[in-house]
Amino acid sequence: MASHRDADREDRPGAGPWEELAPGVVRCRLPGWDATAGAVRGKAGVLVVDTGSGVAEGAEIREGLHRLFGLPVTHAALTHSHFDHVFGTASFEGAHVYGAQGLGGYLADAREELRQDAVRHGMAADVAAEAAERLVPPGHGVSEQLTMVPGEREVRLVNMGPAHSAFDLAVVVGGRDGGPPIVFCGDLVEESGEPQAGPDASPARWPAALDRLLALGGEDALYVPGHGAVVGAGFVRAQREALAERFGLSST
């Protein structure tokens, strides 16, 4: 489930430095598994995209965003079900939590499975146990697409269907003043290593999900992977072709 950094994992929280992608839109690469957390500033609060791999890491994300924007996190969008992206949600008390339809029910029943997976990937047993016990499933399921305008930018939460996981969600932030859209891809796209396909992946659907990402963002968008550096449409297209070849699917 986690990606590429297991051997280097250090059990410490962290959430920075924050990288500005556009005014009011930021992301950071978290230590350990190199997972991404993102955020969009609104008028009265902040939308966070993924919450980190544990309660302490989630608190660091929350506090870092408050220092950056001077606003509380009022909304959280979870791009998929894997522990390194959802285990920090308990640190955002009071936030409205969104995920693809069905993710809430899955996470409510998967605490032990996620705890075991976190420990398998190098998380300390006590840290994993606390995160699993305090795991907060989404209270809002996105069946197709949900549009919100928290501030100066439109944000779309798009249910991508099963691909990397059973519950993939993209967060598409509209461009402004001539700037490009920004697409938070979750682990549908990974830059810091080969995309991970675990037992919950749907390989036959994955290339089509990347086609849809490209249609949502367009050629000029910034695509923010679940792990690694921000990429452009060309990288996403190349990864789509690599996945189709890897899984023995016909290329377009």
Side-chain angles (χ1 to χ4, degrees), residues 154-174:
E154 178 183 273
V155 178
R156 287 182 290 160
L157 309 183
V158 183
N159 187 332
M160 302 299 290
H164 166 74
S165 75
F167 306 101
D168 291 313
L169 183 82
V171 179
V172 184
V173 183

Side-chain angles (χ1 to χ4, degrees), residues 95-107:
H96 296 279
V97 183
Y98 296 79
Q101 190 70 42
L103 178 62
Y106 169 77
L107 290 181

Side-chain angles (χ1 to χ4, degrees), residues 38-171:
V40 182
R41 182 186 63 214
K43 294 178 180 177
V46 177
L47 164 70
V48 68
V49 181
D50 288 341
T51 59
S53 62
V55 177
E57 191 162 81
E60 279 287 317
I61 294 169
R62 183 195 69 225
E63 292 162 11
L65 291 172
H66 192 270
R67 288 192 297 269
L68 193 61
F69 293 132
L71 294 168
V73 172
T74 54
H75 297 76
L78 304 179
T79 63
H80 61 292
S81 57
H82 297 164
F83 77 87
D84 48 331
H85 297 263
V86 305
F87 258 6
T89 310
S91 296
F92 299 90
E93 185 175 358
H96 296 279
V97 183
Y98 296 79
Q101 190 70 42
L103 178 62
Y106 169 77
L107 290 181
D109 294 333
R111 298 174 194 273
E112 178 59 17
E113 176 185 341
L114 293 174
R115 183 198 67 78
Q116 291 180 15
D117 194 54
V119 171
R120 245 188 335 266
H121 281 88
M123 183 179 287
D126 58 338
V127 175
E130 179 192 20
E133 181 180 355
R134 297 180 60 184
L135 178 62
V136 176
H140 305 275
V142 178
S143 58
E144 294 183 2
Q145 187 169 181
L146 175 67
T147 300
M148 56 179 68
V149 187
E152 299 173 337
R153 298 174 184 274
E154 178 183 273
V155 178
R156 287 182 290 160
L157 309 183
V158 183
N159 187 332
M160 302 299 290
H164 166 74
S165 75
F167 306 101
D168 291 313
L169 183 82
V171 179

Side-chain angles (χ1 to χ4, degrees), residues 156 210-218 223:
R156 287 182 290 160
L210 296 192
D211 288 336
R212 191 176 178 203
L213 275 184
L214 289 165
L216 288 166
Y223 293 88

